[in-house]
Amino acid sequence: MISELEVIAGIKEGREEAYRYVYEHLYKMLCMVACERVNDRIAAEMIVSDVIFSLWQNRQSLVIHTSLRGYLIKAVRNRCLNYLTQTERRISLSQSCDHSEAVYTQANVCSETPLTGLIEKELDLKINACIEALPPQTRRIFCLSRFKKMKYEEIAGQTGVSVDTVKYHIKSALTRLRAELKDYLLPLLVFLLSP
């Protein structure tokens, strides 16, 4: 029977049998810990795989003061918290986008006045300029998502990048657009909500 100290030493040295031990003896238990937190089996498996991959990436600087099992459980719990926080942010962003779409729809309904038409044109120009200023790969991925209504997996297949890379580019584009358009949203809201 291999000891935890031998497994930790094997991980630091990059020995395959140490990682096999982690997968064979700890993977299922770690997935159960993650699933209890995130309540999603697939997400739990991804989280555990990420933790174990991170263990491999950072093996040379690895310092474990507790048991390997305790260390991995703590790492999985922390990764679960990050996942839940990101999920919450995505939901919040989605609701924010839904709200913005409702405001935009209302602006279209109210666009009979010259001032509204002018604001609308200026906002369209600003949005287009922001999209054009994005890096080429980010712009392409963002446009496929928003204008072609393609799913992340479809975009990944078409562009030859991973789904995580697609998510990164879309998040990057939305962050830049939000920052660039913040000055336009408040005046538009004030105008639309004023009697």
Side-chain angles (χ1 to χ4, degrees), residues 27 30-32 34-51 76 79-80 83 87 90 153 163-164 167:
Y27 181 80
L30 292 171
C31 285
M32 286 173 29
C35 200
E36 284 176 7
R37 300 274 175 169
V38 299
N39 203 23
D40 180 338
R41 187 182 57 80
I42 294 171
E45 288 176 1
M46 282 178 28
I47 288 167
V48 172
S49 294
D50 285 349
V51 166
V76 165
R79 199 64 70 103
C80 287
Y83 171 83
T87 302
R90 275 195 298 270
E153 293 80 10
V163 172
D164 286 338
K167 290 177 185 177

Side-chain angles (χ1 to χ4, degrees), residues 8 30 51 54-55 58 61-78:
I8 293 169
L30 292 171
V51 166
S54 178
L55 189 70
N58 302 310
S61 60
L62 187 65
V63 178
I64 298 179
H65 298 293
T66 61
S67 69
L68 177 62
R69 185 177 195 267
Y71 175 86
L72 289 172
I73 288 172
K74 185 174 181 179
V76 165
R77 285 180 177 158
N78 287 340

Side-chain angles (χ1 to χ4, degrees), residues 88-101:
E88 223 172 85
R89 282 188 193 142
R90 275 195 298 270
I91 290 168
S92 176
L93 178 61
S94 172
Q95 289 169 345
S96 172
C97 286
D98 290 346
H99 176 71
S100 297
E101 191 173 314

Side-chain angles (χ1 to χ4, degrees), residues 4 7 9 11 17 34 64 72 92 99-100 124 150 188:
E4 270 204 356
V7 174
I11 290 170
E17 62 270 13
I64 298 179
L72 289 172
S92 176
H99 176 71
S100 297
D124 277 346
M150 291 175 71
L188 184 61

Side-chain angles (χ1 to χ4, degrees), residues 81-145:
L81 287 174
N82 292 344
Y83 171 83
L84 292 171
T85 302
Q86 288 172 351
T87 302
E88 223 172 85
R89 282 188 193 142
R90 275 195 298 270
I91 290 168
S92 176
L93 178 61
S94 172
Q95 289 169 345
S96 172
C97 286
D98 290 346
H99 176 71
S100 297
E101 191 173 314
V103 169
Y104 185 72
T105 302
Q106 188 175 357
N108 281 341
V109 170
C110 298
S111 66
E112 295 156 8
T113 67
L115 182 58
T116 309
L118 185 64
I119 290 172
E120 203 175 291
K121 253 185 217 173
E122 187 177 339
L123 187 57
D124 277 346
L125 289 171
K126 184 67 176 172
I127 290 170
N128 288 333
C130 289
I131 291 172
E132 286 302 312
L134 293 171
Q137 181 78 328
T138 302
R139 182 175 59 243
R140 180 176 178 214
I141 288 172
F142 180 76
C143 289
L144 289 173
S145 170

